[in-house]
Amino acid sequence: MSAAGRTGVLGNSFRLAMTIVGTTIGAGFASGREIWEFFTVYGAGSGQGILLFAGLYALCCWVILRISWQTKPASYSELLFRLMSPQMARVYDGLIMFYLFSLSAVMFAASGAVFADVRLPFHLGVMAIAVLVFSVLIFQIRGLLSLNSWLIPLLVLMLAAIAFFYLMGGEPGDSQGREQTEQLEQRFEARFQPYYGVWASSVVYTSFNLVPMIGVLCMAARESRHPRELAIGSLLSGLFLGGLAWLLNGALLNMPVDVAAEREILLFELAGHFPFRVEKLVFLSLWLAIYTTALSSIFSLATRLKVIVIWPHSLILAMLVIGIIPFSYFGFATLVKILYPIFGMASLFFVGCLLLSWIRGDDSLPNHHGFSGR
């Protein structure tokens, strides 16, 4: 391969990785709440959980990309029919469409909540994300890939900088840090055996985050020119997500347990150790995380609906954005509390089918279920 060819592969791989990272880093990840609940609460064993999540997530993304690159599905629903029985595929197809719609409503509500936190109108945050989502997705997958190639590195750098300066606020391994780690371990020692609890949590966290990726990965694979881009992009996404989660987890391990229990958005607490006031930086980091997740979720849903109704992409997109807005007014906390546990457990079956297909090596087999795409 020529130097120009290698440069092209690396560039495309980086854009793909940033799209995966951008879809994964939603409001929960960026706020620190997901990292705390899924990893930090396990104390010293949390690092193993993050490593497992990063590796498993990269592997699952690569399997989806490889199948999609070989079979060129019109939407993620065709991928489902290759991985499971027709009956289960139809159930999961409907479940994923409902999940993507619900997740989009959660992100719209989160945008309004972040605006409200800085004393701006809630509806302004909802309308801002609605307009910007439509403006980018009108260009379909290329608009999503192009935006993420520069937007996500900025987001990752901002989050990493906030966590880094929090860690630098005290001596590494000082008595306060050890005390907080001991509190966490004592708090959960009776409930979980060492290591196994965080391993299970990592698998659930992987499955929960993988579902919004399906539609984006299917379409992104069609834009790839070489299978090497898929492998490199998946590997880079795991490295970026694992590294950022590791850094945030390290900062959260040094946070007092009572503070973490009281504050919903832990990123504000981490930002308190920044060398200068960064309220606007925290606001921007959270909102970008919300925005990129909304982009990917609505794109996946629009791609699926286009196969069903055969309407113009712009019309489907407009109808979706308009339809999501009213549901966002149920509130961010309410939507998360009701929907996230349900979809997290339901996603485990899909991950199991995906890994089983990879183990058997039958991911390139043709579709024998006669699926028409509707």
Side-chain angles (χ1 to χ4, degrees), residues 79-98:
L79 176 69
L80 296 177
F81 275 76
R82 296 177 187 277
L83 294 174
M84 56 188 74
S85 68
Q87 294 79 13
M88 285 302 301
R90 292 187 182 94
V91 171
Y92 255 77
D93 188 19
L95 180 66
I96 290 174
M97 282 193 287
F98 178 64

Side-chain angles (χ1 to χ4, degrees), residues 302-321:
T303 302
R304 177 66 186 107
L305 291 177
K306 188 176 181 180
V307 177
I308 298 176
V309 298
I310 319 181
W311 291 348
H313 174 74
S314 57
L315 178 59
I316 294 175
L317 192 59
M319 295 292 290
L320 274 176
V321 170

